[in-house]
mmCIF file of all heavy atoms in Angstrom:
data_model
loop_
_atom_site.group_PDB
_atom_site.id
_atom_site.type_symbol
_atom_site.label_atom_id
_atom_site.label_comp_id
_atom_site.label_asym_id
_atom_site.label_seq_id
_atom_site.Cartn_x
_atom_site.Cartn_y
_atom_site.Cartn_z
ATOM 1 N N ALA A 129 89.115 122.545 -42.777
ATOM 2 C CA ALA A 129 90.152 123.344 -43.431
ATOM 3 C C ALA A 129 90.008 124.822 -43.096
ATOM 4 O O ALA A 129 88.889 125.361 -43.080
ATOM 5 C CB ALA A 129 90.086 123.161 -44.943
ATOM 6 N N PRO A 130 91.132 125.507 -42.826
ATOM 7 C CA PRO A 130 91.074 126.961 -42.666
ATOM 8 C C PRO A 130 90.576 127.598 -43.960
ATOM 9 O O PRO A 130 90.844 127.083 -45.049
ATOM 10 C CB PRO A 130 92.538 127.347 -42.393
ATOM 11 C CG PRO A 130 93.202 126.085 -41.965
ATOM 12 C CD PRO A 130 92.500 124.977 -42.684
ATOM 13 N N ARG A 131 89.864 128.676 -43.861
ATOM 14 C CA ARG A 131 89.355 129.331 -45.070
ATOM 15 C C ARG A 131 90.487 130.045 -45.794
ATOM 16 O O ARG A 131 91.109 130.950 -45.247
ATOM 17 C CB ARG A 131 88.253 130.325 -44.711
ATOM 18 C CG ARG A 131 87.770 131.166 -45.893
ATOM 19 C CD ARG A 131 86.331 131.562 -45.711
ATOM 20 N NE ARG A 131 85.452 130.423 -45.935
ATOM 21 C CZ ARG A 131 84.151 130.423 -45.637
ATOM 22 N NH1 ARG A 131 83.600 131.501 -45.110
ATOM 23 N NH2 ARG A 131 83.411 129.369 -45.875
ATOM 24 N N PRO A 132 90.794 129.647 -47.031
ATOM 25 C CA PRO A 132 91.898 130.297 -47.757
ATOM 26 C C PRO A 132 91.472 131.610 -48.396
ATOM 27 O O PRO A 132 90.291 131.830 -48.678
ATOM 28 C CB PRO A 132 92.250 129.261 -48.824
ATOM 29 C CG PRO A 132 90.944 128.576 -49.116
ATOM 30 C CD PRO A 132 90.194 128.554 -47.809
ATOM 31 N N ASP A 133 92.456 132.455 -48.639
ATOM 32 C CA ASP A 133 92.219 133.660 -49.437
ATOM 33 C C ASP A 133 92.320 133.349 -50.922
ATOM 34 O O ASP A 133 91.715 134.021 -51.744
ATOM 35 C CB ASP A 133 93.252 134.736 -49.085
ATOM 36 C CG ASP A 133 93.224 135.103 -47.620
ATOM 37 O OD1 ASP A 133 92.164 135.548 -47.150
ATOM 38 O OD2 ASP A 133 94.247 134.907 -46.933
ATOM 39 N N TRP A 134 93.097 132.310 -51.215
ATOM 40 C CA TRP A 134 93.412 131.940 -52.609
ATOM 41 C C TRP A 134 93.439 130.430 -52.688
ATOM 42 O O TRP A 134 94.024 129.762 -51.828
ATOM 43 C CB TRP A 134 94.762 132.553 -52.993
ATOM 44 C CG TRP A 134 95.211 132.317 -54.400
ATOM 45 C CD1 TRP A 134 95.007 133.134 -55.475
ATOM 46 C CD2 TRP A 134 95.996 131.212 -54.879
ATOM 47 N NE1 TRP A 134 95.605 132.602 -56.597
ATOM 48 C CE2 TRP A 134 96.223 131.415 -56.259
ATOM 49 C CE3 TRP A 134 96.518 130.068 -54.284
ATOM 50 C CZ2 TRP A 134 96.940 130.528 -57.045
ATOM 51 C CZ3 TRP A 134 97.243 129.169 -55.066
ATOM 52 C CH2 TRP A 134 97.449 129.414 -56.431
ATOM 53 N N LEU A 135 92.811 129.866 -53.714
ATOM 54 C CA LEU A 135 92.703 128.414 -53.837
ATOM 55 C C LEU A 135 93.043 127.986 -55.254
ATOM 56 O O LEU A 135 92.490 128.510 -56.226
ATOM 57 C CB LEU A 135 91.286 127.970 -53.487
ATOM 58 C CG LEU A 135 90.957 126.490 -53.664
ATOM 59 C CD1 LEU A 135 91.753 125.633 -52.680
ATOM 60 C CD2 LEU A 135 89.456 126.258 -53.475
ATOM 61 N N PHE A 136 93.944 127.011 -55.369
ATOM 62 C CA PHE A 136 94.353 126.496 -56.674
ATOM 63 C C PHE A 136 93.701 125.149 -56.927
ATOM 64 O O PHE A 136 93.784 124.242 -56.097
ATOM 65 C CB PHE A 136 95.874 126.353 -56.730
ATOM 66 C CG PHE A 136 96.387 125.822 -58.044
ATOM 67 C CD1 PHE A 136 96.270 126.581 -59.202
ATOM 68 C CD2 PHE A 136 96.991 124.575 -58.127
ATOM 69 C CE1 PHE A 136 96.742 126.106 -60.422
ATOM 70 C CE2 PHE A 136 97.475 124.097 -59.336
ATOM 71 C CZ PHE A 136 97.351 124.861 -60.482
ATOM 72 N N VAL A 137 93.038 125.018 -58.072
ATOM 73 C CA VAL A 137 92.424 123.755 -58.477
ATOM 74 C C VAL A 137 93.252 123.196 -59.628
ATOM 75 O O VAL A 137 93.142 123.652 -60.771
ATOM 76 C CB VAL A 137 90.959 123.964 -58.922
ATOM 77 C CG1 VAL A 137 90.324 122.631 -59.306
ATOM 78 C CG2 VAL A 137 90.155 124.632 -57.808
ATOM 79 N N PRO A 138 94.128 122.228 -59.355
ATOM 80 C CA PRO A 138 95.046 121.735 -60.378
ATOM 81 C C PRO A 138 94.364 120.805 -61.375
ATOM 82 O O PRO A 138 93.236 120.340 -61.148
ATOM 83 C CB PRO A 138 96.083 120.963 -59.558
ATOM 84 C CG PRO A 138 95.320 120.460 -58.378
ATOM 85 C CD PRO A 138 94.326 121.552 -58.061
ATOM 86 N N ALA A 139 95.056 120.557 -62.466
ATOM 87 C CA ALA A 139 94.579 119.571 -63.425
ATOM 88 C C ALA A 139 94.505 118.210 -62.747
ATOM 89 O O ALA A 139 95.262 117.908 -61.828
ATOM 90 C CB ALA A 139 95.527 119.522 -64.621
ATOM 91 N N LEU A 140 93.579 117.389 -63.208
ATOM 92 C CA LEU A 140 93.462 116.042 -62.674
ATOM 93 C C LEU A 140 93.237 115.070 -63.824
ATOM 94 O O LEU A 140 92.864 115.464 -64.931
ATOM 95 C CB LEU A 140 92.319 115.957 -61.665
ATOM 96 C CG LEU A 140 90.883 116.152 -62.169
ATOM 97 C CD1 LEU A 140 89.913 115.476 -61.203
ATOM 98 C CD2 LEU A 140 90.545 117.631 -62.270
ATOM 99 N N MET A 141 93.515 113.809 -63.545
ATOM 100 C CA MET A 141 93.363 112.784 -64.568
ATOM 101 C C MET A 141 91.888 112.455 -64.751
ATOM 102 O O MET A 141 91.194 112.125 -63.787
ATOM 103 C CB MET A 141 94.153 111.536 -64.173
ATOM 104 C CG MET A 141 95.653 111.758 -64.143
ATOM 105 S SD MET A 141 96.576 110.305 -63.586
ATOM 106 C CE MET A 141 96.212 110.340 -61.823
ATOM 107 N N VAL A 142 91.417 112.563 -65.980
ATOM 108 C CA VAL A 142 90.025 112.242 -66.292
ATOM 109 C C VAL A 142 89.996 111.288 -67.480
ATOM 110 O O VAL A 142 90.905 111.277 -68.304
ATOM 111 C CB VAL A 142 89.209 113.519 -66.610
ATOM 112 C CG1 VAL A 142 89.137 114.439 -65.405
ATOM 113 C CG2 VAL A 142 89.804 114.259 -67.803
ATOM 114 N N ASP A 143 88.934 110.482 -67.567
ATOM 115 C CA ASP A 143 88.747 109.579 -68.700
ATOM 116 C C ASP A 143 87.258 109.442 -68.965
ATOM 117 O O ASP A 143 86.437 110.160 -68.380
ATOM 118 C CB ASP A 143 89.402 108.212 -68.446
ATOM 119 C CG ASP A 143 88.920 107.549 -67.161
ATOM 120 O OD1 ASP A 143 87.753 107.810 -66.763
ATOM 121 O OD2 ASP A 143 89.685 106.787 -66.557
ATOM 122 N N ASP A 144 86.890 108.512 -69.837
ATOM 123 C CA ASP A 144 85.488 108.373 -70.233
ATOM 124 C C ASP A 144 84.576 107.948 -69.088
ATOM 125 O O ASP A 144 83.355 108.031 -69.212
ATOM 126 C CB ASP A 144 85.361 107.375 -71.385
ATOM 127 C CG ASP A 144 85.923 107.929 -72.685
ATOM 128 O OD1 ASP A 144 85.990 109.165 -72.811
ATOM 129 O OD2 ASP A 144 86.292 107.125 -73.566
ATOM 130 N N SER A 145 85.159 107.480 -67.981
ATOM 131 C CA SER A 145 84.336 107.056 -66.846
ATOM 132 C C SER A 145 83.964 108.227 -65.924
ATOM 133 O O SER A 145 83.268 108.034 -64.933
ATOM 134 C CB SER A 145 85.071 105.988 -66.027
ATOM 135 O OG SER A 145 86.219 106.533 -65.385
ATOM 136 N N TRP A 146 84.438 109.431 -66.272
ATOM 137 C CA TRP A 146 84.153 110.585 -65.409
ATOM 138 C C TRP A 146 82.651 110.798 -65.266
ATOM 139 O O TRP A 146 81.897 110.712 -66.245
ATOM 140 C CB TRP A 146 84.780 111.848 -65.998
ATOM 141 C CG TRP A 146 84.407 113.086 -65.237
ATOM 142 C CD1 TRP A 146 83.318 113.888 -65.459
ATOM 143 C CD2 TRP A 146 85.088 113.633 -64.113
ATOM 144 N NE1 TRP A 146 83.280 114.908 -64.552
ATOM 145 C CE2 TRP A 146 84.351 114.775 -63.705
ATOM 146 C CE3 TRP A 146 86.237 113.273 -63.419
ATOM 147 C CZ2 TRP A 146 84.743 115.557 -62.633
ATOM 148 C CZ3 TRP A 146 86.623 114.061 -62.344
ATOM 149 C CH2 TRP A 146 85.894 115.186 -61.971
ATOM 150 N N GLU A 147 82.219 111.096 -64.036
ATOM 151 C CA GLU A 147 80.826 111.441 -63.762
ATOM 152 C C GLU A 147 80.791 112.731 -62.948
ATOM 153 O O GLU A 147 81.564 112.880 -61.994
ATOM 154 C CB GLU A 147 80.137 110.324 -62.973
ATOM 155 C CG GLU A 147 80.066 108.998 -63.722
ATOM 156 C CD GLU A 147 79.460 107.908 -62.867
ATOM 157 O OE1 GLU A 147 79.261 108.149 -61.659
ATOM 158 O OE2 GLU A 147 79.182 106.831 -63.412
ATOM 159 N N PRO A 148 79.929 113.667 -63.304
ATOM 160 C CA PRO A 148 79.892 114.959 -62.611
ATOM 161 C C PRO A 148 79.643 114.882 -61.112
ATOM 162 O O PRO A 148 79.954 115.825 -60.390
ATOM 163 C CB PRO A 148 78.750 115.690 -63.328
ATOM 164 C CG PRO A 148 78.709 115.081 -64.687
ATOM 165 C CD PRO A 148 79.046 113.635 -64.472
ATOM 166 N N CYS A 149 79.086 113.774 -60.617
ATOM 167 C CA CYS A 149 78.785 113.678 -59.188
ATOM 168 C C CYS A 149 79.928 113.036 -58.395
ATOM 169 O O CYS A 149 79.773 112.725 -57.216
ATOM 170 C CB CYS A 149 77.509 112.864 -58.973
ATOM 171 S SG CYS A 149 77.586 111.180 -59.609
ATOM 172 N N ARG A 150 81.077 112.871 -59.013
ATOM 173 C CA ARG A 150 82.173 112.121 -58.385
ATOM 174 C C ARG A 150 82.732 112.822 -57.157
ATOM 175 O O ARG A 150 83.176 112.181 -56.205
ATOM 176 C CB ARG A 150 83.284 111.880 -59.419
ATOM 177 C CG ARG A 150 84.472 111.104 -58.883
ATOM 178 C CD ARG A 150 85.418 110.713 -59.992
ATOM 179 N NE ARG A 150 84.787 109.790 -60.926
ATOM 180 C CZ ARG A 150 85.421 109.256 -61.980
ATOM 181 N NH1 ARG A 150 86.676 109.581 -62.221
ATOM 182 N NH2 ARG A 150 84.805 108.418 -62.783
ATOM 183 N N HIS A 151 82.763 114.123 -57.163
ATOM 184 C CA HIS A 151 83.391 114.871 -56.073
ATOM 185 C C HIS A 151 82.389 115.828 -55.428
ATOM 186 O O HIS A 151 82.603 117.040 -55.370
ATOM 187 C CB HIS A 151 84.610 115.643 -56.589
ATOM 188 C CG HIS A 151 85.697 114.765 -57.107
ATOM 189 N ND1 HIS A 151 86.529 114.038 -56.283
ATOM 190 C CD2 HIS A 151 86.095 114.492 -58.382
ATOM 191 C CE1 HIS A 151 87.409 113.361 -57.013
ATOM 192 N NE2 HIS A 151 87.161 113.619 -58.283
ATOM 193 N N GLY A 152 81.297 115.265 -54.941
ATOM 194 C CA GLY A 152 80.220 116.083 -54.402
ATOM 195 C C GLY A 152 80.618 116.964 -53.227
ATOM 196 O O GLY A 152 80.267 118.146 -53.177
ATOM 197 N N ARG A 153 81.377 116.414 -52.262
ATOM 198 C CA ARG A 153 81.773 117.212 -51.088
ATOM 199 C C ARG A 153 82.714 118.334 -51.487
ATOM 200 O O ARG A 153 82.596 119.462 -50.999
ATOM 201 C CB ARG A 153 82.447 116.320 -50.045
ATOM 202 C CG ARG A 153 81.514 115.414 -49.277
ATOM 203 C CD ARG A 153 82.251 114.691 -48.187
ATOM 204 N NE ARG A 153 82.697 115.607 -47.147
ATOM 205 C CZ ARG A 153 83.813 115.446 -46.433
ATOM 206 N NH1 ARG A 153 84.622 114.438 -46.660
ATOM 207 N NH2 ARG A 153 84.130 116.321 -45.488
ATOM 208 N N LEU A 154 83.644 118.030 -52.378
ATOM 209 C CA LEU A 154 84.563 119.076 -52.835
ATOM 210 C C LEU A 154 83.810 120.163 -53.587
ATOM 211 O O LEU A 154 84.090 121.349 -53.423
ATOM 212 C CB LEU A 154 85.644 118.481 -53.740
ATOM 213 C CG LEU A 154 86.866 117.860 -53.087
ATOM 214 C CD1 LEU A 154 87.831 117.365 -54.156
ATOM 215 C CD2 LEU A 154 87.554 118.849 -52.167
ATOM 216 N N ALA A 155 82.871 119.749 -54.445
ATOM 217 C CA ALA A 155 82.107 120.718 -55.227
ATOM 218 C C ALA A 155 81.320 121.641 -54.305
ATOM 219 O O ALA A 155 81.273 122.863 -54.515
ATOM 220 C CB ALA A 155 81.175 119.997 -56.189
ATOM 221 N N SER A 156 80.707 121.074 -53.281
ATOM 222 C CA SER A 156 79.956 121.892 -52.328
ATOM 223 C C SER A 156 80.868 122.870 -51.601
ATOM 224 O O SER A 156 80.519 124.050 -51.422
ATOM 225 C CB SER A 156 79.249 120.979 -51.317
ATOM 226 O OG SER A 156 78.551 121.730 -50.346
ATOM 227 N N TRP A 157 82.040 122.396 -51.202
ATOM 228 C CA TRP A 157 82.997 123.265 -50.509
ATOM 229 C C TRP A 157 83.481 124.378 -51.428
ATOM 230 O O TRP A 157 83.611 125.535 -51.007
ATOM 231 C CB TRP A 157 84.159 122.424 -49.999
ATOM 232 C CG TRP A 157 85.155 123.182 -49.163
ATOM 233 C CD1 TRP A 157 85.015 123.570 -47.858
ATOM 234 C CD2 TRP A 157 86.444 123.647 -49.585
ATOM 235 N NE1 TRP A 157 86.147 124.240 -47.436
ATOM 236 C CE2 TRP A 157 87.039 124.298 -48.475
ATOM 237 C CE3 TRP A 157 87.164 123.561 -50.767
ATOM 238 C CZ2 TRP A 157 88.304 124.872 -48.530
ATOM 239 C CZ3 TRP A 157 88.426 124.127 -50.827
ATOM 240 C CH2 TRP A 157 88.985 124.782 -49.713
ATOM 241 N N LEU A 158 83.741 124.035 -52.698
ATOM 242 C CA LEU A 158 84.175 125.046 -53.663
ATOM 243 C C LEU A 158 83.126 126.146 -53.824
ATOM 244 O O LEU A 158 83.455 127.326 -53.893
ATOM 245 C CB LEU A 158 84.460 124.383 -55.018
ATOM 246 C CG LEU A 158 85.822 123.750 -55.223
ATOM 247 C CD1 LEU A 158 85.846 122.957 -56.530
ATOM 248 C CD2 LEU A 158 86.908 124.807 -55.240
ATOM 249 N N ARG A 159 81.872 125.740 -53.901
ATOM 250 C CA ARG A 159 80.798 126.735 -54.032
ATOM 251 C C ARG A 159 80.780 127.680 -52.838
ATOM 252 O O ARG A 159 80.651 128.896 -52.985
ATOM 253 C CB ARG A 159 79.440 126.033 -54.165
ATOM 254 C CG ARG A 159 79.126 125.514 -55.543
ATOM 255 C CD ARG A 159 77.666 125.124 -55.670
ATOM 256 N NE ARG A 159 77.290 124.047 -54.758
ATOM 257 C CZ ARG A 159 77.424 122.752 -55.037
ATOM 258 N NH1 ARG A 159 77.910 122.389 -56.214
ATOM 259 N NH2 ARG A 159 77.048 121.843 -54.167
ATOM 260 N N ASP A 160 80.922 127.096 -51.654
ATOM 261 C CA ASP A 160 80.919 127.921 -50.449
ATOM 262 C C ASP A 160 82.099 128.883 -50.422
ATOM 263 O O ASP A 160 81.966 130.056 -50.032
ATOM 264 C CB ASP A 160 80.947 127.038 -49.209
ATOM 265 C CG ASP A 160 79.650 126.282 -48.987
ATOM 266 O OD1 ASP A 160 78.631 126.662 -49.605
ATOM 267 O OD2 ASP A 160 79.663 125.298 -48.221
ATOM 268 N N GLU A 161 83.276 128.384 -50.844
ATOM 269 C CA GLU A 161 84.468 129.239 -50.841
ATOM 270 C C GLU A 161 84.324 130.373 -51.847
ATOM 271 O O GLU A 161 84.690 131.520 -51.565
ATOM 272 C CB GLU A 161 85.713 128.403 -51.154
ATOM 273 C CG GLU A 161 86.098 127.418 -50.059
ATOM 274 C CD GLU A 161 86.264 128.103 -48.726
ATOM 275 O OE1 GLU A 161 87.019 129.094 -48.647
ATOM 276 O OE2 GLU A 161 85.625 127.657 -47.749
#
């Protein structure tokens, strides 16, 4: 992905099965951005 100047993180559907490790690659990319 090209490096954005501005990034929107929209609402997403979550339920009781949510686990913090579900989106590891995205989380790592977000930290870098």
Side-chain angles (χ1 to χ4, degrees):
R131 174 151 286 169
D133 301 301
W134 182 93
L135 175 66
F136 180 67
V137 182
L140 66 157
M141 294 177 286
V142 297
D143 55 29
D144 289 337
S145 67
W146 174 271
E147 297 176 351
C149 60
R150 180 171 295 182
H151 297 286
R153 286 186 67 212
L154 276 182
S156 178
W157 185 77
L158 276 171
R159 280 193 298 273
D160 290 344
E161 291 306 307

